[in-house]
Amino acid sequence: MNTTETHHIVVLGAGYTGMLATQRLAHRTRALDVRITLVNPSDRFTERLRMHQIAAGQSLADHRIPALLDGTGVEFHRAAATAIDPVAHRVALDNGIVLTYDTLVYALGSATDTSRVPGTADHAWTLNDPRRARDFSRRLAELAHSGGAVTVVGGGLTGIEAATEIAESHPELTVTLIASAEPGSMMGARARAHLNRALDRLGIRRKVGVQVTKVLPAGVRLADGDVLPSDLTLWTAGVRVPALARESGIATDARGSVRTDATLRSVSHPDIYAIGDAAAVEMAWGRIHGTCQSGLPTAAYVADTVTRRLRDKKVTPFRFGYFHQPVSLGRRDAVIQFTHADDTPRRWYLKGRAAVFYKESVSGSPVPMFALSKKMNVSVTLSKGGRATKRKA
């Protein structure tokens, strides 16, 4: 990939993965003739892993993307990509600018899917946007005075963390968690038992094994026809990825995620790399599902791989294995289930204060890591999966 002209790398998306890829690329390519452009609709860096804290009324630091990029030489465009021409190597932005690229890093992430159940988009709240999360927190505070009812739909990690955060911050509220499967079903029995004790301690009601068929202005309708009254409904069930890749003719799976090869390049357009939630990444044990734990390693790997290819050096396939399932249960409790590479539970787990300390240590704010990434290659991979991810020659 040697060239006598400046090589232009465009990164779409400035979430966890896009920011890390950008910072690491700037560091790794500083001695090369490379120009890097980062595109994101907002100039604020959003800590998606902490959105449930904002929703519960807590304040987080306000991090601006231009400040995080200071000293890197990266050009930032506050805009949204509206179209990609993978043949002409162009990206159209909603501010009228058209960027040309030599390498494109697709890091547009995912959002809560509000399209599948009628009424969700109109009457439910999500944790997709910090401004909406703050609006939700104000509604919570108002509702707490009258002791109203809050329903959290979705028994995954996001739903569990949101329900426990809300119940702990506003004990006057009646909080109900609706889940199609038992909350914490991916954990081992002992970790799941601690999780259920925490839900009981916080007074969180559960409706398990039921489906919501419609979200109403003041409640949710269940599959059996019953209507559960709800003053505020928070929807955390299901995710969707942007349609941009599919609409641009880039090979995607049925969900719209970019299909990648062993080095995270698009299988249809090798000048495009996909990372994080918007990438369909297959390991020997199966497909990676979207988490910060898996997303950051894809970002670091792509930054390193793009640099190695620019230097005409050999690259090795991406390898990743899950290591843990960290779940906060309010500010004073947590549970950590340690896992095999395929995310199935091991015997070991942490609970209580030890788990709180562990979670803050390994999945706290990524901003300090971004700062370090300007100067050095920061390790973000807890496990490459051992034998489970080794590819046969």
Side-chain angles (χ1 to χ4, degrees), residues 104-107 258 260 264-266 272-276 278-281 298 302:
L104 181 70
V105 180
Y106 190 90
V258 176
T260 61
L264 304 191
R265 294 189 299 186
S266 161
I272 299 175
Y273 292 78
I275 59 178
V281 181
T298 65
V302 161

Side-chain angles (χ1 to χ4, degrees), residues 287-357:
R287 177 172 170 165
I288 290 175
H289 57 84
T291 65
C292 184
Q293 181 184 177
S294 58
L296 290 176
T298 65
Y301 171 85
V302 161
D304 295 347
T305 297
V306 168
T307 304
R308 292 188 67 84
R309 285 193 165 121
L310 286 171
R311 296 179 181 273
D312 286 330
K313 292 187 176 181
K314 180 181 178 181
V315 301
T316 57
F318 175 70
R319 291 178 57 203
F320 169 80
Y322 287 98
F323 184 75
H324 59 200
Q325 298 163 354
V327 188
S328 63
L329 305 171
R331 293 296 86 203
R332 297 182 293 274
D333 196 4
V335 62
I336 315 294
Q337 174 67 67
F338 295 100
T339 69
H340 297 283
D342 63 357
D343 210 27
T344 55
R346 292 182 181 270
R347 292 179 54 193
W348 306 288
Y349 77 106
L350 282 178
K351 63 180 181 179
R353 291 287 187 178
V356 171
F357 177 78

Side-chain angles (χ1 to χ4, degrees), residues 119-375:
T120 305
D122 296 324
H123 306 303
W125 297 75
T126 67
L127 298 179
N128 290 334
D129 185 290
R131 292 167 297 183
R132 290 284 290 165
R134 279 192 292 272
D135 291 342
F136 180 83
S137 73
R138 287 190 281 268
R139 293 288 303 276
L140 271 182
E142 295 169 0
L143 188 61
H145 292 299
S146 58
V150 177
T151 301
V152 179
V153 181
L157 302 189
T158 302
I160 293 168
E161 292 191 328
T164 53
E165 204 77 53
I166 292 168
E168 182 181 83
S169 299
H170 299 285
E172 310 90 346
L173 295 172
T174 299
V175 180
T176 300
L177 180 63
I178 298 179
S180 58
E182 182 183 359
S185 59
M186 66 289 187
M187 296 181 168
R190 293 184 298 167
R192 193 165 59 250
H194 180 78
L195 166 62
N196 280 305
R197 286 193 296 270
L199 296 176
D200 289 338
R201 171 174 54 80
L202 292 168
I204 297 172
R205 301 178 180 180
R206 276 95 82 193
K207 285 189 171 293
V208 178
V210 298
Q211 298 285 341
V212 174
T213 58
K214 189 172 185 178
V215 180
L216 307 170
V220 294
R221 179 173 293 142
L222 306 180
D224 60 7
D226 284 350
V227 173
L228 177 69
S230 177
D231 297 295
L232 286 175
T233 300
L234 180 63
W235 194 272
T236 70
V239 296
R240 58 178 172 80
V241 298
L244 180 61
R246 183 181 68 250
E247 293 172 349
S248 300
I250 300 166
T252 63
D253 64 6
R255 199 177 70 163
S257 300
V258 176
R259 292 175 53 213
T260 61
D261 66 12
T263 62
L264 304 191
R265 294 189 299 186
S266 161
V267 296
S268 60
H269 299 87
D271 294 312
I272 299 175
Y273 292 78
I275 59 178
D277 292 359
V281 181
E282 297 285 343
M283 292 286 97
W285 45 263
R287 177 172 170 165
I288 290 175
H289 57 84
T291 65
C292 184
Q293 181 184 177
S294 58
L296 290 176
T298 65
Y301 171 85
V302 161
D304 295 347
T305 297
V306 168
T307 304
R308 292 188 67 84
R309 285 193 165 121
L310 286 171
R311 296 179 181 273
D312 286 330
K313 292 187 176 181
K314 180 181 178 181
V315 301
T316 57
F318 175 70
R319 291 178 57 203
F320 169 80
Y322 287 98
F323 184 75
H324 59 200
Q325 298 163 354
V327 188
S328 63
L329 305 171
R331 293 296 86 203
R332 297 182 293 274
D333 196 4
V335 62
I336 315 294
Q337 174 67 67
F338 295 100
T339 69
H340 297 283
D342 63 357
D343 210 27
T344 55
R346 292 182 181 270
R347 292 179 54 193
W348 306 288
Y349 77 106
L350 282 178
K351 63 180 181 179
R353 291 287 187 178
V356 171
F357 177 78
Y358 178 94
K359 189 175 189 299
E360 285 300 310
S361 299
V362 300
S363 58
S365 173
V367 172
M369 176 187 63
F370 294 155
L372 280 176
S373 295
K374 295 179 182 180
K375 305 174 182 178

Side-chain angles (χ1 to χ4, degrees), residues 9-13 17-18 21-22 25 101 103-108 271-275 299 302-303 306:
I9 302 172
V10 174
V11 182
L12 299 182
T17 59
T22 300
L25 277 165
Y101 66 84
T103 296
L104 181 70
V105 180
Y106 190 90
L108 292 184
D271 294 312
I272 299 175
Y273 292 78
I275 59 178
V302 161
V306 168

